[in-house]
Amino acid sequence: MYMDAAGLYQRDQKKAGDEMTLEDLNPLWPVLSIRQPWAWLIVNGYKDIENREWPTDFRGRFYIHAPQTVESVYRQIFPLNMPHHYETGGIVGEAEITDCVTSSNSPWFESTSRFGFVIAEAKPLPFIACRGQLGFFKLPAPRNARQRGLFDGA
């Protein structure tokens, strides 16, 4: 990750098969923990709403963190050919939040939820292990990133 002349963070070019690390991610993007299989459904383009009990004013790109907990009831609900194992305990993808709504025609909007974050342009990323938190949070600073000026705090 480096900052270009316009002050925007850019990813270093990776070759196919290279592992990603926290240093490859934009430290300005927030992270949101979403339990599996919901995270998998979002980053693979199936789920376009993330249901929450709290609203957000945030609009823009964010990273999707999959915590250790995996929901188990989904297999009886969804007829999709879904994996039997999910990556947990790290970053699994990125997406954009375009709106926060209180109702939606999306089949993924749960009427029992108070708010739905409308998700667009989601895509999976190579797994990067890191701890999650509740709500939106900042990426943890990777080793020696602070001295390179990429992350503040941590």
Side-chain angles (χ1 to χ4, degrees):
M1 179 67 62
Y2 66 94
M3 189 178 290
D4 67 12
L8 301 173
Y9 284 96
Q10 302 292 328
R11 288 188 179 139
D12 294 323
Q13 295 297 315
K14 294 277 187 182
K15 295 182 211 120
D18 285 352
E19 285 189 27
M20 286 185 71
T21 67
L22 287 172
E23 289 183 345
D24 296 313
L25 302 180
N26 185 333
L28 300 178
W29 288 11
V31 183
L32 184 63
S33 288
I34 301 173
R35 287 183 180 175
Q36 295 287 22
W38 318 122
W40 184 89
L41 288 162
I42 289 171
V43 301
N44 286 285
Y46 294 104
K47 188 171 186 264
D48 61 353
I49 294 273
E50 171 56 16
N51 297 289
R52 294 286 163 149
E53 291 301 312
W54 47 273
T56 184
D57 291 328
F58 175 78
R59 305 293 182 269
R61 302 289 303 167
F62 72 104
Y63 292 112
I64 296 171
H65 173 271
Q68 297 290 339
T69 306
V70 177
E71 298 281 343
S72 59
V73 297
Y74 72 91
R75 291 207 185 272
Q76 295 109 17
I77 301 171
F78 303 110
L80 299 172
N81 185 14
M82 296 171 64
H84 292 284
H85 173 76
Y86 296 96
E87 293 174 319
T88 60
I91 305 295
V92 295
E94 66 179 68
E96 181 176 354
I97 293 177
T98 61
D99 203 359
C100 178
V101 298
T102 56
S103 66
S104 172
N105 290 330
S106 169
W108 296 103
F109 185 80
E110 296 176 7
S111 59
T112 57
S113 295
R114 294 180 57 202
F115 302 97
F117 301 172
V118 179
I119 307 292
E121 297 184 37
K123 67 179 186 177
L125 292 175
F127 181 77
I128 303 170
C130 75
R131 288 188 163 197
Q133 297 176 32
L134 296 176
F136 286 104
F137 62 96
K138 288 185 173 190
L139 288 166
R143 277 187 232 134
N144 68 11
R146 207 186 303 168
Q147 48 278 38
R148 289 177 48 207
L150 293 177
F151 287 76
D152 56 351

